[in-house]
Amino acid sequence: MIIADTSLETIPDNLYRHPSLRKLRHSGKKPSDILLDRSFHHFAMVSTGLENHHKRGRPDILHIALINALATPLYRNNMMKVFIHTVNNNVICVGDNVRIPKSYIRFEGLMINLLKTKKIISDEGRLLLELRSQINFKRLIKEIVKSDIVVGLSTTGVYRKLESIAIDLSSQNNPCVVIGGFPNGYFSDSVDSCFDKKYSISSVGLESQVVVSRLVYEYEKNVLA
């Protein structure tokens, strides 16, 4: 599973200099110490004309989606690999048996640490999270995931029941499903162009965590006894 075009990044330098963030600058924190968050930085994002600002500044979407994905029997039985592709073409590889903090504040700290150090390692020396910089979606698919088929789930896809999609996926040796990690809009062209098939599973847009939960459940029905 890939959560793509994810709204996970630190504050861009030009945004940090915006007058509305004066108090933030006076706090002594550097841009690399703060995740871009629309709840706090909306005015600066819009005023500076931040590219694709409608898709950015929502790291909470990734947080909730990961909590749902990593709590499933499919993942806990090491039958699903999870990757995160960000709006800035960073790729995060999630290791096996990783538990994401349920507290958003702790999750935020974890992500800032990951963006700085590139790796999160357990006390036992096990690699939990690894960030690889400047890997576009096509490279992720070709060099890291190496899937038989890449299926995107989007409101712009052809409608199909999720149960039917899951049956097809379970018949493949190494299928890959791509879910959006952004609040509004559509997949970027660079992501969309990599799909072998693109489906819509609802007449209305669904939040990422809902798609994750429903997809994994339907897939588990075909692969878990």
Side-chain angles (χ1 to χ4, degrees):
M1 176 184 292
I2 301 176
I3 305 174
D5 282 344
T6 301
S7 305
L8 180 72
E9 59 185 311
T10 52
I11 297 181
D13 289 340
N14 65 320
L15 203 72
Y16 188 70
R17 294 189 291 270
H18 191 269
S20 67
L21 302 184
R22 186 180 298 108
K23 288 185 179 180
L24 196 58
R25 292 195 298 275
H26 290 167
S27 71
K29 288 187 176 181
K30 300 177 181 178
S32 59
D33 296 328
I34 309 162
L35 292 185
L36 182 65
D37 192 325
R38 181 172 293 278
S39 299
F40 306 108
H41 313 134
H42 172 78
F43 185 71
M45 292 170 67
V46 174
S47 299
T48 57
L50 184 67
E51 185 180 3
N52 290 325
H53 67 81
H54 62 287
K55 292 179 64 176
R56 299 166 70 176
R58 289 292 307 277
D60 58 300
I61 292 176
L62 174 63
H63 181 220
I64 301 172
L66 274 181
I67 286 175
N68 280 270
L70 304 190
T72 61
L74 193 68
Y75 172 77
R76 290 187 173 182
N77 283 289
N78 296 325
M79 298 176 68
M80 177 174 70
K81 296 291 184 182
V82 178
F83 300 90
I84 301 155
H85 163 267
T86 76
V87 291
N88 293 327
N89 279 328
N90 289 323
V91 167
I92 300 171
C93 305
V94 180
D96 297 331
N97 301 310
V98 174
R99 292 189 177 183
I100 293 296
K102 290 183 171 60
S103 162
Y104 177 74
I105 294 176
R106 289 185 60 205
F107 171 78
E108 183 180 27
L110 179 69
M111 290 298 105
I112 291 172
N113 188 20
L114 175 63
L115 291 171
K116 288 180 178 180
T117 65
K118 312 300 183 185
K119 291 182 180 181
I120 300 295
I121 299 175
S122 72
D123 294 337
E124 300 79 23
R126 188 164 54 88
L127 183 62
L128 303 177
L129 301 168
E130 180 181 13
L131 184 141
R132 304 184 187 183
S133 302
Q134 296 305 305
I135 296 182
N136 61 32
F137 191 81
K138 186 175 182 179
R139 281 189 63 197
L140 169 61
I141 293 294
K142 298 291 185 181
E143 299 177 15
I144 300 176
V145 177
K146 300 178 182 179
S147 290
D148 304 322
I149 185 171
V150 180
V151 175
L153 298 182
S154 169
T155 54
T156 63
V158 177
Y159 176 76
R160 190 177 180 191
K161 289 184 177 181
L162 191 52
E163 180 181 11
S164 177
I165 298 172
I167 291 173
D168 279 359
L169 289 173
S170 63
S171 68
Q172 303 289 331
N173 290 324
N174 185 28
C176 173
V177 179
V178 184
I179 295 167
F182 47 89
N184 295 297
Y186 309 102
F187 286 113
S188 58
D189 291 340
S190 59
V191 172
D192 197 286
S193 64
C194 292
F195 297 153
D196 297 309
K197 296 181 180 180
K198 184 168 63 171
Y199 296 120
S200 169
I201 61 172
S202 173
S203 59
V204 296
L206 299 175
E207 294 185 359
S208 300
Q209 74 269 18
V210 175
V211 178
V212 167
S213 298
R214 292 186 176 186
L215 170 65
V216 173
Y217 174 70
E218 291 295 340
Y219 188 81
E220 286 175 344
K221 286 160 62 176
N222 296 287
V223 299
L224 295 178

